[in-house]
């Protein structure tokens, strides 16, 4: 099965790329420039493709992203500190982002005669992002089957959709993912900030997985307070 992986350059999608490569069915990576406030992650996605020796496609959908206003990831809106499972993290929602990216990815896969598109959504995304939930994945599969009926048969693989971030770290380590060569932070500084939702989730995941975290954080201890605050 020749698989196209949607790869942002983050821990989840790079781990998925390494998993697909290790299982022998990685065909290519695709990333999207949707006008996000920094582009650091894209360079890590490109690097992953070079490391895994597969084609890399960068699709510019900046004009679409420009009208998806109101998100801390695209506009001049403060990125909140804290854990993902907090109401404040809804500021990081980019409306319909996964649906838009997947639609393009399915077109690319069909045009190149590939068998599947793989996406690294996971259980920790469910609280905040509606287009990361199992119901969305199932509905998108059905929609694409209808959209490509008679032209192509492209499967949607979401192997982490019921997994935790810690599960992904364990799986990524199993396939020798170089975690230091992934980027998660929403702020896009010289190093990971350690305070935004995705940094907190990343640091917690390594802790729960029992895997050494090679990431350099500007605030390496904040995650503990954020996790404790969620639990209280």
């Amino acid at each position: 099965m020749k698989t196209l992986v949607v790869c942002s350059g983050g821990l989840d999608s790079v781990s998925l790329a390494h998993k697909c490569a290790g299982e022998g069915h990685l065909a290519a990576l695709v990333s999207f420039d949707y006008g996000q406030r920094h582009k650091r992650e894209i360079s890590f996605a490109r690097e992953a493709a070079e490391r895994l020796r597969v084609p890399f496609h960068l699709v510019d959908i900046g004009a679409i992203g420009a009208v998806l206003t109101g998100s801390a990831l695209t506009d001049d809106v403060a990125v909140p500190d804290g854990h993902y499972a907090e109401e404040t993290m809804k500021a990081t929602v980019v409306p319909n982002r996964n649906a838009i990216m997947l639609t393009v990815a399915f077109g690319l896969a069909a045009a190149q005669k590939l068998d599947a598109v793989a996406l690294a959504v996971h259980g920790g995304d469910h609280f905040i992002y509606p287009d990361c939930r199992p119901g969305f994945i199932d509905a998108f599969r059905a929609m694409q089957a209808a959209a490509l009926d008679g032209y192509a048969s492209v499967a949607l693989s979401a192997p982490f959709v019921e997994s935790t971030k810690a599960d992904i770290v364990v799986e990524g380590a199993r396939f020798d993912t170089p975690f230091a060569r992934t980027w998660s932070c929403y702020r896009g500084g010289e190093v990971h900030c350690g305070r935004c939702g995705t940094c907190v989730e990343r640091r917690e995941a390594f802790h729960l997985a029992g895997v050494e975290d090679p990431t350099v954080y500007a605030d390496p201890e904040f995650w503990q307070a954020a996790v404790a605050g969620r639990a209280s």
Side-chain angles (χ1 to χ4, degrees), residues 33-52:
D33 182 346
Y34 58 92
Q36 56 267 56
R37 60 198 295 168
H38 70 81
K39 306 289 192 293
R40 293 209 61 183
E41 58 190 6
I42 293 175
S43 64
F44 287 94
R46 187 187 302 277
E47 181 183 308
E50 293 171 353
R51 182 171 59 247
L52 295 171

Side-chain angles (χ1 to χ4, degrees), residues 106 109-111 113-114 144-145 147-154:
F106 264 78
K113 311 301 182 188
L114 304 181
Q144 281 299 313
L148 294 174
D149 184 37
Y151 178 77
S153 178
V154 180

Side-chain angles (χ1 to χ4, degrees), residues 5 14 32 61 75 84 91 128 131 159 177 191-192 199:
V5 172
V14 174
F32 295 88
I61 55 170
D75 290 355
Y84 254 156
I128 299 298
D131 57 359
T177 304
V191 298
H192 284 70
C199 277

